[in-house]
Protein backbone atom coordinates (compact mmCIF):
# COMPACT_ATOMS: atom_id res chain seq x y z
CA UNK A 1 0.00 0.00 0.00
CA UNK A 2 1.47 3.31 -1.11
CA UNK A 3 -0.25 6.40 0.29
CA UNK A 4 2.14 8.90 -1.27
CA UNK A 5 1.01 11.21 -4.04
CA UNK A 6 2.86 11.06 -7.34
CA UNK A 7 5.07 13.97 -8.31
CA UNK A 8 2.43 15.10 -10.80
CA UNK A 9 -0.29 15.02 -8.15
CA UNK A 10 1.87 16.94 -5.70
CA UNK A 11 2.57 19.53 -8.39
CA UNK A 12 -1.15 20.03 -9.05
CA UNK A 13 -1.89 20.34 -5.33
CA UNK A 14 0.93 22.81 -4.71
CA UNK A 15 0.11 24.88 -7.81
CA UNK A 16 -3.54 25.23 -6.85
CA UNK A 17 -2.65 25.90 -3.21
CA UNK A 18 -0.39 28.76 -4.26
CA UNK A 19 -3.00 30.13 -6.68
CA UNK A 20 -5.71 30.00 -4.02
CA UNK A 21 -3.58 31.80 -1.45
CA UNK A 22 -2.16 34.45 -3.78
CA UNK A 23 -5.06 35.08 -6.15
CA UNK A 24 -8.29 33.95 -4.48
CA UNK A 25 -7.75 34.79 -0.81
CA UNK A 26 -7.22 38.55 -1.33
CA UNK A 27 -10.56 38.96 -3.15
CA UNK A 28 -12.74 36.23 -1.60
CA UNK A 29 -14.42 38.46 0.96
CA UNK A 30 -15.10 41.17 -1.63
CA UNK A 31 -16.56 38.72 -4.13
CA UNK A 32 -18.80 37.29 -1.42
CA UNK A 33 -19.95 40.72 -0.19
CA UNK A 34 -20.75 41.92 -3.71
CA UNK A 35 -22.13 38.56 -4.93
CA UNK A 36 -19.83 39.04 -7.92
CA UNK A 37 -18.90 36.22 -10.27
CA UNK A 38 -15.09 35.71 -10.43
CA UNK A 39 -14.52 36.07 -14.18
CA UNK A 40 -10.85 37.03 -13.79
CA UNK A 41 -10.10 34.02 -11.60
CA UNK A 42 -11.88 31.64 -13.97
CA UNK A 43 -9.77 32.98 -16.84
CA UNK A 44 -6.57 32.43 -14.87
CA UNK A 45 -7.67 28.95 -13.83
CA UNK A 46 -8.27 28.20 -17.49
CA UNK A 47 -4.77 29.37 -18.37
CA UNK A 48 -3.39 27.01 -15.72
CA UNK A 49 -5.29 24.10 -17.30
CA UNK A 50 -7.52 23.64 -14.26
CA UNK A 51 -10.90 24.16 -15.94
CA UNK A 52 -10.45 20.91 -17.85
CA UNK A 53 -8.10 19.06 -15.54
CA UNK A 54 -9.49 15.51 -16.06
CA UNK A 55 -10.30 15.97 -19.77
CA UNK A 56 -7.81 14.34 -22.19
CA UNK A 57 -5.33 16.60 -23.92
CA UNK A 58 -6.69 15.64 -27.34
CA UNK A 59 -9.82 17.63 -26.47
CA UNK A 60 -7.95 20.57 -24.97
CA UNK A 61 -7.86 19.36 -21.38
CA UNK A 62 -4.93 18.74 -19.06
CA UNK A 63 -5.23 14.95 -19.05
CA UNK A 64 -5.05 14.73 -15.26
CA UNK A 65 -6.40 11.96 -13.08
CA UNK A 66 -9.30 12.09 -10.63
CA UNK A 67 -6.99 12.22 -7.61
CA UNK A 68 -5.34 15.38 -8.96
CA UNK A 69 -8.76 16.86 -9.68
CA UNK A 70 -9.96 16.13 -6.13
CA UNK A 71 -6.82 17.71 -4.68
CA UNK A 72 -7.36 20.83 -6.80
CA UNK A 73 -10.97 21.22 -5.66
CA UNK A 74 -9.94 20.72 -2.02
CA UNK A 75 -7.29 23.44 -2.22
CA UNK A 76 -9.67 25.93 -3.84
CA UNK A 77 -12.40 25.26 -1.26
CA UNK A 78 -9.88 25.68 1.53
CA UNK A 79 -9.89 29.37 0.59
CA UNK A 80 -13.23 29.97 -1.15
CA UNK A 81 -16.17 27.72 -1.94
CA UNK A 82 -17.67 29.93 -4.66
CA UNK A 83 -14.59 29.61 -6.86
CA UNK A 84 -14.37 25.89 -6.10
CA UNK A 85 -17.97 25.10 -7.00
CA UNK A 86 -17.64 27.09 -10.22
CA UNK A 87 -14.80 24.77 -11.26
CA UNK A 88 -16.41 21.59 -9.88
CA UNK A 89 -19.86 22.14 -11.42
CA UNK A 90 -18.33 23.13 -14.75
CA UNK A 91 -16.06 20.08 -14.83
CA UNK A 92 -17.93 17.22 -13.15
CA UNK A 93 -21.47 18.15 -14.11
CA UNK A 94 -21.24 20.42 -17.14
CA UNK A 95 -18.33 19.10 -19.19
CA UNK A 96 -18.27 15.42 -18.24
CA UNK A 97 -21.57 14.50 -19.93
CA UNK A 98 -20.15 15.70 -23.24
CA UNK A 99 -16.91 13.79 -22.72
CA UNK A 100 -18.52 10.57 -21.46
CA UNK A 101 -21.61 10.37 -23.67
CA UNK A 102 -21.08 12.73 -26.59
CA UNK A 103 -20.28 11.59 -30.11
CA UNK A 104 -16.83 12.29 -31.50
CA UNK A 105 -18.30 15.16 -33.49
CA UNK A 106 -19.86 16.65 -30.34
CA UNK A 107 -16.61 16.31 -28.42
CA UNK A 108 -14.61 17.98 -31.15
CA UNK A 109 -17.20 20.75 -31.42
CA UNK A 110 -17.69 21.56 -27.73
CA UNK A 111 -14.89 20.25 -25.53
CA UNK A 112 -11.98 22.52 -26.58
CA UNK A 113 -13.81 25.66 -25.41
CA UNK A 114 -15.05 23.95 -22.25
CA UNK A 115 -11.78 22.27 -21.25
CA UNK A 116 -9.88 25.53 -21.72
CA UNK A 117 -12.31 27.50 -19.58
CA UNK A 118 -13.17 29.86 -22.44
CA UNK A 119 -16.75 28.68 -21.95
CA UNK A 120 -18.61 27.39 -18.90
CA UNK A 121 -21.00 24.45 -18.86
CA UNK A 122 -24.05 23.78 -16.71
CA UNK A 123 -26.02 20.62 -15.87
CA UNK A 124 -29.80 20.87 -15.62
CA UNK A 125 -31.20 18.09 -13.48
CA UNK A 126 -33.00 19.60 -10.49
CA UNK A 127 -36.51 20.96 -11.04
CA UNK A 128 -38.92 22.85 -8.78
CA UNK A 129 -40.73 19.57 -8.07
CA UNK A 130 -37.89 17.09 -8.63
CA UNK A 131 -34.91 17.40 -6.32
CA UNK A 132 -33.92 14.21 -4.49
CA UNK A 133 -36.45 12.36 -6.66
CA UNK A 134 -34.54 13.12 -9.85
CA UNK A 135 -36.50 10.50 -11.76
CA UNK A 136 -39.60 12.70 -11.40
CA UNK A 137 -38.37 14.97 -14.19
CA UNK A 138 -41.24 16.86 -15.83
CA UNK A 139 -39.31 18.77 -18.50
CA UNK A 140 -40.18 17.32 -21.90
CA UNK A 141 -38.46 17.15 -25.28
CA UNK A 142 -40.60 16.11 -28.25
CA UNK A 143 -38.96 15.16 -31.53
CA UNK A 144 -40.60 17.07 -34.37
CA UNK A 145 -39.32 17.60 -37.91
CA UNK A 146 -35.74 16.68 -37.06
CA UNK A 147 -35.49 18.73 -33.87
CA UNK A 148 -36.34 18.61 -30.18
CA UNK A 149 -39.01 20.94 -28.78
CA UNK A 150 -38.18 21.46 -25.11
CA UNK A 151 -40.66 22.65 -22.46
CA UNK A 152 -40.19 22.83 -18.72
CA UNK A 153 -38.01 24.37 -16.05
CA UNK A 154 -34.91 23.67 -13.99
CA UNK A 155 -33.96 25.01 -10.56
CA UNK A 156 -30.72 25.85 -8.69
CA UNK A 157 -28.51 25.43 -11.76
CA UNK A 158 -24.86 26.47 -11.35
CA UNK A 159 -22.95 28.37 -14.08
CA UNK A 160 -26.02 28.71 -16.31
CA UNK A 161 -26.19 32.49 -16.67
CA UNK A 162 -22.67 33.89 -16.83
CA UNK A 163 -21.35 35.93 -19.74
CA UNK A 164 -19.21 32.96 -20.78
CA UNK A 165 -21.76 30.16 -20.33
CA UNK A 166 -21.91 27.83 -23.32
CA UNK A 167 -25.14 26.06 -22.46
CA UNK A 168 -26.78 23.42 -20.31
CA UNK A 169 -27.09 19.67 -20.58
CA UNK A 170 -30.58 18.95 -19.32
CA UNK A 171 -32.58 15.86 -18.52
CA UNK A 172 -35.92 15.69 -20.30
CA UNK A 173 -38.66 13.18 -20.92
CA UNK A 174 -38.45 12.11 -24.55
CA UNK A 175 -41.14 9.47 -24.10
CA UNK A 176 -43.67 8.23 -21.55
CA UNK A 177 -41.08 6.19 -19.61
CA UNK A 178 -37.97 7.63 -21.19
CA UNK A 179 -35.45 10.26 -20.06
CA UNK A 180 -32.69 11.59 -22.32
CA UNK A 181 -29.93 14.19 -22.02
CA UNK A 182 -30.05 17.08 -24.46
CA UNK A 183 -27.79 20.11 -24.87
CA UNK A 184 -29.44 23.54 -25.06
CA UNK A 185 -27.00 26.30 -25.91
CA UNK A 186 -27.34 29.77 -24.41
CA UNK A 187 -29.08 32.24 -26.68
CA UNK A 188 -31.52 29.69 -28.10
CA UNK A 189 -34.97 31.21 -28.65
CA UNK A 190 -37.42 30.42 -25.86
CA UNK A 191 -34.68 29.55 -23.37
CA UNK A 192 -34.99 32.00 -20.47
CA UNK A 193 -32.53 32.36 -17.62
CA UNK A 194 -33.58 34.05 -14.37
CA UNK A 195 -31.65 36.74 -12.55
CA UNK A 196 -29.01 35.34 -10.15
CA UNK A 197 -30.67 33.70 -7.16
CA UNK A 198 -29.94 35.15 -3.71
CA UNK A 199 -28.31 32.56 -1.48
CA UNK A 200 -27.12 32.00 2.08
CA UNK A 201 -23.66 31.06 0.85
CA UNK A 202 -21.68 30.52 -2.36
CA UNK A 203 -22.58 34.12 -3.10
CA UNK A 204 -19.95 34.59 -5.81
CA UNK A 205 -21.09 31.53 -7.75
CA UNK A 206 -23.77 31.71 -10.45
CA UNK A 207 -27.09 30.03 -9.58
CA UNK A 208 -30.19 30.37 -11.77
CA UNK A 209 -33.67 29.10 -12.54
CA UNK A 210 -34.12 28.06 -16.16
CA UNK A 211 -37.31 28.05 -18.24
CA UNK A 212 -37.90 26.41 -21.62
CA UNK A 213 -40.89 27.42 -23.73
CA UNK A 214 -41.08 25.64 -27.06
CA UNK A 215 -37.30 25.74 -27.34
CA UNK A 216 -36.20 24.23 -30.65
CA UNK A 217 -32.95 22.25 -30.42
CA UNK A 218 -31.25 20.32 -33.26
CA UNK A 219 -31.71 16.56 -33.06
CA UNK A 220 -27.91 16.18 -33.06
CA UNK A 221 -27.78 17.81 -29.58
CA UNK A 222 -28.92 14.54 -28.01
CA UNK A 223 -26.12 13.10 -25.85
CA UNK A 224 -25.74 9.37 -26.26
CA UNK A 225 -28.58 6.97 -27.12
CA UNK A 226 -32.13 8.17 -26.65
CA UNK A 227 -33.66 6.97 -23.37
CA UNK A 228 -30.34 6.55 -21.55
CA UNK A 229 -30.53 9.86 -19.68
CA UNK A 230 -31.44 8.37 -16.30
CA UNK A 231 -28.45 6.02 -16.29
CA UNK A 232 -26.22 8.76 -17.64
CA UNK A 233 -26.99 11.26 -14.92
CA UNK A 234 -26.58 8.63 -12.21
CA UNK A 235 -23.07 8.03 -13.54
CA UNK A 236 -22.43 11.78 -13.64
CA UNK A 237 -23.63 12.17 -10.06
CA UNK A 238 -21.34 9.36 -8.87
CA UNK A 239 -18.33 11.20 -10.25
CA UNK A 240 -19.59 14.57 -9.11
CA UNK A 241 -19.85 13.35 -5.53
CA UNK A 242 -16.09 12.97 -5.42
CA UNK A 243 -15.61 16.66 -6.21
CA UNK A 244 -18.23 17.78 -3.67
CA UNK A 245 -16.67 15.46 -1.10
CA UNK A 246 -13.34 17.15 -1.84
CA UNK A 247 -15.09 20.45 -1.18
CA UNK A 248 -16.16 19.11 2.22
CA UNK A 249 -12.56 18.29 3.10
CA UNK A 250 -11.37 21.62 1.77
CA UNK A 251 -13.87 23.64 3.76
CA UNK A 252 -13.11 21.66 6.93
CA UNK A 253 -9.38 22.21 6.36
CA UNK A 254 -9.96 25.92 5.81
CA UNK A 255 -11.99 26.15 9.02
CA UNK A 256 -9.26 24.31 10.89
CA UNK A 257 -6.60 26.64 9.48
CA UNK A 258 -8.52 29.70 10.64
CA UNK A 259 -9.29 28.25 14.08
CA UNK A 260 -5.70 27.13 14.62
CA UNK A 261 -4.25 30.53 13.69
CA UNK A 262 -6.79 32.40 15.82
CA UNK A 263 -6.26 30.13 18.83
CA UNK A 264 -2.51 30.72 18.71
CA UNK A 265 -2.85 34.52 18.71
CA UNK A 266 -5.97 35.15 20.84
CA UNK A 267 -5.14 35.56 24.51
CA UNK A 268 -7.45 35.14 27.50
CA UNK A 269 -6.54 34.85 31.16
CA UNK A 270 -2.97 35.77 30.31
CA UNK A 271 -2.19 33.13 27.69
CA UNK A 272 -3.16 32.05 24.14
CA UNK A 273 -6.41 30.10 24.11
CA UNK A 274 -4.55 27.32 22.28
CA UNK A 275 -3.08 26.50 25.69
CA UNK A 276 -6.50 25.57 27.06
CA UNK A 277 -7.41 21.89 26.84
CA UNK A 278 -10.96 22.59 25.65
CA UNK A 279 -9.59 24.33 22.55
CA UNK A 280 -6.80 21.80 22.06
CA UNK A 281 -9.26 18.91 22.06
CA UNK A 282 -11.45 20.58 19.44
CA UNK A 283 -8.46 21.16 17.18
CA UNK A 284 -7.24 17.61 17.76
CA UNK A 285 -10.66 16.22 16.81
CA UNK A 286 -10.77 18.38 13.68
CA UNK A 287 -7.29 17.28 12.60
CA UNK A 288 -8.17 13.62 13.16
CA UNK A 289 -11.43 13.80 11.22
CA UNK A 290 -9.70 15.65 8.39
CA UNK A 291 -7.34 12.72 7.94
CA UNK A 292 -10.28 10.32 7.81
CA UNK A 293 -12.28 12.47 5.41
CA UNK A 294 -9.38 13.04 3.05
CA UNK A 295 -8.66 9.32 2.99
CA UNK A 296 -12.25 8.59 1.96
CA UNK A 297 -12.13 11.14 -0.84
CA UNK A 298 -8.79 10.02 -2.22
CA UNK A 299 -9.80 6.35 -2.11
CA UNK A 300 -12.95 7.06 -4.10
CA UNK A 301 -10.91 9.11 -6.60
CA UNK A 302 -8.26 6.39 -6.84
CA UNK A 303 -10.88 3.70 -7.47
CA UNK A 304 -12.35 5.78 -10.28
CA UNK A 305 -8.89 6.19 -11.80
CA UNK A 306 -8.44 2.41 -11.68
CA UNK A 307 -11.74 1.87 -13.52
CA UNK A 308 -13.08 0.04 -10.51
CA UNK A 309 -16.54 0.47 -8.92
CA UNK A 310 -16.56 3.60 -6.80
CA UNK A 311 -20.21 4.61 -6.31
CA UNK A 312 -20.36 3.39 -2.71
CA UNK A 313 -17.08 5.03 -1.73
CA UNK A 314 -18.05 8.31 -3.44
CA UNK A 315 -21.34 8.40 -1.53
CA UNK A 316 -19.56 7.57 1.73
CA UNK A 317 -17.00 10.29 1.12
CA UNK A 318 -19.65 12.86 0.24
CA UNK A 319 -21.77 11.98 3.28
CA UNK A 320 -18.89 11.97 5.75
CA UNK A 321 -17.13 15.09 4.55
CA UNK A 322 -20.38 17.04 4.31
CA UNK A 323 -21.09 16.33 7.96
CA UNK A 324 -17.43 16.80 8.86
CA UNK A 325 -17.45 20.27 7.29
CA UNK A 326 -20.50 21.10 9.40
CA UNK A 327 -18.74 20.13 12.60
CA UNK A 328 -15.49 21.81 11.63
CA UNK A 329 -17.12 25.10 10.65
CA UNK A 330 -19.17 25.12 13.84
CA UNK A 331 -16.20 24.31 16.08
CA UNK A 332 -13.99 26.84 14.31
CA UNK A 333 -16.55 29.61 14.74
CA UNK A 334 -16.95 28.68 18.42
CA UNK A 335 -13.20 29.02 18.90
CA UNK A 336 -13.40 32.49 17.36
CA UNK A 337 -16.14 33.40 19.83
CA UNK A 338 -17.97 36.66 19.13
CA UNK A 339 -15.48 37.68 16.46
CA UNK A 340 -16.46 34.65 14.41
CA UNK A 341 -19.99 36.05 14.16
CA UNK A 342 -18.65 39.14 12.40
CA UNK A 343 -18.42 39.22 8.60
CA UNK A 344 -14.91 40.68 8.75
CA UNK A 345 -13.66 37.26 9.88
CA UNK A 346 -13.42 34.65 7.13
CA UNK A 347 -14.89 31.91 9.30
CA UNK A 348 -18.31 33.55 9.01
CA UNK A 349 -18.18 33.05 5.21
CA UNK A 350 -17.08 29.44 5.55
CA UNK A 351 -19.87 28.87 8.06
CA UNK A 352 -22.47 30.13 5.56
CA UNK A 353 -20.92 28.28 2.63
CA UNK A 354 -20.88 24.97 4.46
CA UNK A 355 -24.55 24.02 4.70
CA UNK A 356 -25.09 23.39 0.99
CA UNK A 357 -22.49 20.61 1.15
CA UNK A 358 -25.10 18.54 3.01
CA UNK A 359 -27.77 19.29 0.38
CA UNK A 360 -26.29 19.70 -3.09
CA UNK A 361 -25.26 16.74 -5.27
CA UNK A 362 -27.63 14.58 -3.23
CA UNK A 363 -28.66 15.27 0.36
CA UNK A 364 -27.17 13.39 3.30
CA UNK A 365 -30.31 11.27 3.30
CA UNK A 366 -29.89 10.38 -0.38
CA UNK A 367 -26.26 9.42 0.25
CA UNK A 368 -27.40 7.02 2.96
CA UNK A 369 -29.92 5.55 0.51
CA UNK A 370 -27.16 5.05 -2.08
CA UNK A 371 -24.85 3.46 0.48
CA UNK A 372 -27.60 1.18 1.79
CA UNK A 373 -28.36 0.00 -1.76
CA UNK A 374 -24.67 -0.66 -2.38
CA UNK A 375 -24.61 -2.70 0.83
CA UNK A 376 -27.42 -4.87 -0.51
CA UNK A 377 -30.02 -3.65 1.96
Amino acid sequence: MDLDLTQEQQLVRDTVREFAREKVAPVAEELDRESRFPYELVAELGQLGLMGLPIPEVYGGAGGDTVSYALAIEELTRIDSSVAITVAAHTSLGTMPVYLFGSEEQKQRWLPDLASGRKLAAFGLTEPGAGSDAGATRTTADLRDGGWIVNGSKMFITNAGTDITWGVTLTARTGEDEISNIVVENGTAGYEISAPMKKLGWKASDTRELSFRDVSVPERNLLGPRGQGFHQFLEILDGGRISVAAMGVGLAQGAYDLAYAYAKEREQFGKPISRFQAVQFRLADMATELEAGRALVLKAAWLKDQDRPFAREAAMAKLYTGELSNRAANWALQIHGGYGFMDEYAISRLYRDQKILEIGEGTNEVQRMVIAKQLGL
Side-chain angles (χ1 to χ4, degrees), residues 216-297:
S216 179
V217 179
E219 185 176 2
R220 63 182 181 144
N221 282 22
L222 176 72
L223 283 185
R226 176 173 173 168
Q228 292 299 304
F230 187 83
H231 300 290
Q232 289 174 353
F233 76 64
L234 289 182
E235 183 175 342
I236 291 298
L237 291 177
D238 283 341
R241 284 177 185 133
I242 294 176
S243 62
V244 178
M247 289 188 68
V249 173
L251 191 141
Q253 182 68 62
Y256 172 85
D257 294 341
L258 294 172
Y260 181 91
Y262 184 83
K264 297 282 282 186
E265 68 180 30
R266 174 66 168 170
E267 291 192 0
Q268 290 289 276
F269 306 102
K271 58 183 177 181
I273 62 173
S274 61
R275 300 282 297 278
F276 292 100
Q277 192 177 69
V279 175
Q280 292 175 348
F281 280 13
R282 281 302 189 204
L283 291 170
D285 287 346
M286 290 166 71
T288 301
E289 291 201 48
L290 273 165
E291 288 294 319
R294 186 173 290 112
L296 278 170
V297 173

Side-chain angles (χ1 to χ4, degrees), residues 46-156:
Q47 292 169 6
L48 288 173
L50 297 173
M51 297 302 291
L53 184 55
I55 303 299
E57 294 180 11
V58 67
Y59 299 119
D65 58 11
T66 311
V67 170
S68 297
Y69 173 53
L71 293 168
I73 297 300
E74 176 189 338
E75 292 297 333
L76 289 174
T77 315
R78 190 172 178 176
I79 300 299
D80 184 65
S81 293
S82 290
V83 173
I85 190 56
T86 298
V87 177
H90 164 74
T91 306
S92 295
L93 302 182
T95 304
M96 273 299 166
V98 178
Y99 171 61
L100 291 177
F101 311 121
S103 66
E104 187 61 28
E105 185 274 333
Q106 289 171 327
K107 293 177 185 179
Q108 295 287 351
R109 178 156 48 110
W110 289 326
L111 285 180
D113 278 345
L114 298 178
S116 66
R118 291 190 295 270
K119 295 289 185 180
L120 281 180
F123 184 61
L125 174 61
T126 301
E127 297 184 358
S132 294
D133 185 10
T137 295
R138 293 181 179 274
T139 297
T140 61
D142 300 317
L143 189 59
R144 305 176 197 165
D145 301 323
W148 299 102
I149 305 300
V150 181
N151 285 280
S153 61
K154 298 294 179 178
M155 181 67 79
F156 311 134

Side-chain angles (χ1 to χ4, degrees), residues 163-235:
D163 294 342
I164 58 173
T165 298
W166 150 77
V168 60
T169 298
L170 59 83
T171 56
R173 291 198 171 275
T174 50
E176 185 174 347
D177 295 310
E178 179 182 277
I179 295 177
S180 303
N181 281 328
I182 297 172
V183 170
V184 179
E185 297 184 65
N186 279 33
T188 304
Y191 174 25
E192 298 180 2
I193 303 171
S194 77
M197 304 182 79
K198 298 184 183 300
K199 310 186 291 289
L200 172 69
W202 288 6
K203 288 180 175 290
S205 73
D206 182 77
T207 308
R208 311 276 182 146
E209 181 177 4
L210 313 180
S211 298
F212 307 89
R213 294 183 176 86
D214 291 328
V215 176
S216 179
V217 179
E219 185 176 2
R220 63 182 181 144
N221 282 22
L222 176 72
L223 283 185
R226 176 173 173 168
Q228 292 299 304
F230 187 83
H231 300 290
Q232 289 174 353
F233 76 64
L234 289 182
E235 183 175 342

